[in-house]
Amino acid sequence: MATVQVSEAEKVYILHGIRDDLRVDGRGCEDYRHMEIETDVVSNTDGSAKITLGHTAVLVGVKAEIGKPRPLVPNEGYLEFFVDCSANATPEFEGRGGEELGTELSNTLYKVFNNKHSVDLKSLSISAGEHCWVLYVDVLLLQCDGNLYDAISIAIKAALFNTKIPRVHISSDDEGGKEIELSDDPYDCMRLDVENVPCIVTLCKVGHRHVVDATLQEKACSVASLIISVTHKGTVTCTRKVGGGSLDPESIYEMTEAGKRVGKALHAPLMKLLQQEESLGTKRQKVGFLG
Amino acid sequence: MAADMRLPIIRTPVSLLDSAFERKDLVVPGDVITSDTGFMRGHGTYVDEDKLTASVAGEVQRVDKLICVRPLKTRFNGEVGDVVVGRITEVQQKRWKVETNSRLDSVLLLSSVNLPGGELRRRSAEDELTMREYLQEGDLISAEVQSVYSDGALSLHTRSLKYGKLGQGVLLQLSPSLIKRQKTHFHNLPCGASIILGNNGFVWLYPTPEIQEEEAGGFYTSLEPVGLADREVISRLRNCLLALAAHKVLLFDTSVLYCYESSVQHQVKDILKPEVMEEIVMLTQQKLLEQEG
């Protein structure tokens, strides 16, 4: 993650502020920054979304390809994640600098989605054992201002909501093999049910309290963070601790409860916004990268 | 507690004055300034087929026969006497390297600082070894530009009681072209906080100290918790400054104060919402125009 240098006195100021529930920008400990979400920004993908959370900007593109299902689960499709930390975000990511962070983020995403309820993988199967849909989810970090996990997970949920997978017809050809035909109608497509896709909440421990959506300065004052992925029902699908400091079991419990509460509250406004955007249809003013 | 999510809209910076299209002295790279060959070309211009063309985006400045273009978004180009707020990046032999948003790190020599206690003595070898006790990597200082080296690096000094290490507060990094040049850059705002508007775009907000320390020499920092009321004022000022910077309003003590007053009816965390920012900046610009006219 991009780091900023903070002086001792600034750290003390931030610490005392969080203790009194008044952060540097006036937020409470469990408030998010201003978020702007837009889907369908990249034209040559099957689904895409761009999210701006404060100054963090993340772009997600989903491409659906036909592939062979995994041997252990022949009647399911699967998702592949790739996170690219571009040098656009911070000079530290130049060349191979962003690779480490990118692999860490992708591995966490695999863990989060490694749950049969998150995405209905059976709906991605075309013919058992032979063909299935593979969804390649590519995440691009455009700007980094803290709280990457949350922004990425919300963007992935929005992109999956926006994904349109073409319908296929399987017919057997002359030699007895299967032939796959994509439907000619561009609007004849299958949508994914993203109700159960989890959202990640990062809680940073600063002093004796924890904060949600930490900025880079607050991150510099914290020694440990907890990453929790929560579904809309409040179920936790994955937990990870990052950072070199230690966490008390009691504080882990408190942070998990807070994470569940905050995570649960993220889903409803997000789904409402996505449905509102969808209902605007062609009347929607596309902003893309100009705004 | 609910997250504020919304769809993006294209927003333009609020401006009550003439729009940029009507101003004749704003240029973008490639714009021809003049075809008259009698002018000398200054910074930000080049000659292309006998025509003087701009190479940066900014406003054209003409002094007799010299034409130069002053860019709007640029690194800090320091001049002697500028007040800057900087962060120590390195501790070297007999000097510190300070980051001031310029092209090169600025230099703060050991002989240019006031030693604690305010003594005036020759710097000894011991002073050199204990440099880190005074200023470490990451510390913030306020200083004045003493001179400019030939390569453009600035030499700073803190040889006055008002300069020195900064204590608890909030730092904002804005563009240097937004800071207005004034007689003094240290202000104790009536709303209850103090501000240092560094010429390099770094703005420091801190709680007003109750007793003005005369003998400290600027190296003692108080780590006592700051009260909630002061914190709220500082957070509000921070958000107001970000709102003004987003709409490219010139920053000086009066504009910051008007913005603070216009924002009082909103909650501190709401100030960063785009529509609230527009409203506050509009009110501030109106007040500033009224005051001028």
Side-chain angles (χ1 to χ4, degrees), chain B residues 168-208:
Chain B
Q168 291 193 55
V170 178
L171 179 75
L172 281 173
Q173 295 180 336
L174 310 169
S175 169
S177 43
L178 290 174
I179 311 281
K180 184 171 178 176
R181 275 185 191 279
Q182 288 188 287
K183 267 212 317 227
T184 169
H185 289 262
F186 293 76
H187 305 281
N188 284 342
L189 298 172
C191 46
S194 301
I195 187 172
I196 304 180
L197 289 153
N199 283 100
N200 60 336
F202 284 12
V203 179
W204 177 248
L205 296 160
Y206 60 109
T208 314

Side-chain angles (χ1 to χ4, degrees), chain A residues 5-10 12-14 16-20 22-28 30-38 154 217 261-262 265-267 269-270 273 276-277 280 284-288 290-291, chain B residues 1-11 87-89 136-140 166-171 204 207 221-228 230-232 234-236 238-239 242 268-269 272-275:
Chain A
Q5 275 196 312
V6 197
S7 70
E8 284 304 313
E10 276 176 284
V12 168
Y13 184 82
I14 293 176
H16 287 151
I18 290 175
R19 193 189 61 183
D20 296 335
L22 182 67
R23 288 153 86 172
V24 163
D25 49 6
R27 286 185 285 156
E30 295 186 357
D31 289 332
Y32 272 91
R33 284 171 286 182
H34 173 73
M35 248 187 269
E36 282 184 358
I37 304 167
E38 200 189 352
I154 297 178
Q217 284 82 8
R261 195 175 48 228
V262 173
L266 273 181
H267 291 269
L270 177 62
L273 183 71
Q276 181 197 350
E277 200 190 18
L280 285 175
R284 175 166 71 104
Q285 177 199 33
K286 288 210 175 188
V287 174
L290 297 172
Chain B
M1 204 208 291
D4 167 40
M5 298 185 197
R6 55 179 76 187
L7 296 173
I9 336 175
I10 299 181
R11 288 174 196 277
R87 203 183 276 283
I88 308 288
T89 51
Q136 273 194 329
E137 286 93 340
D139 281 343
L140 282 169
L166 299 172
Q168 291 193 55
V170 178
L171 179 75
W204 177 248
T221 49
S222 156
L223 294 177
E224 292 292 315
V226 175
L228 205 59
D230 282 340
R231 258 180 216 285
E232 225 187 284
I234 291 179
S235 297
R236 191 177 280 281
R238 175 204 183 264
N239 288 352
L242 286 175
V268 180
K269 59 185 168 180
L272 291 176
K273 292 195 183 142
E275 64 277 2

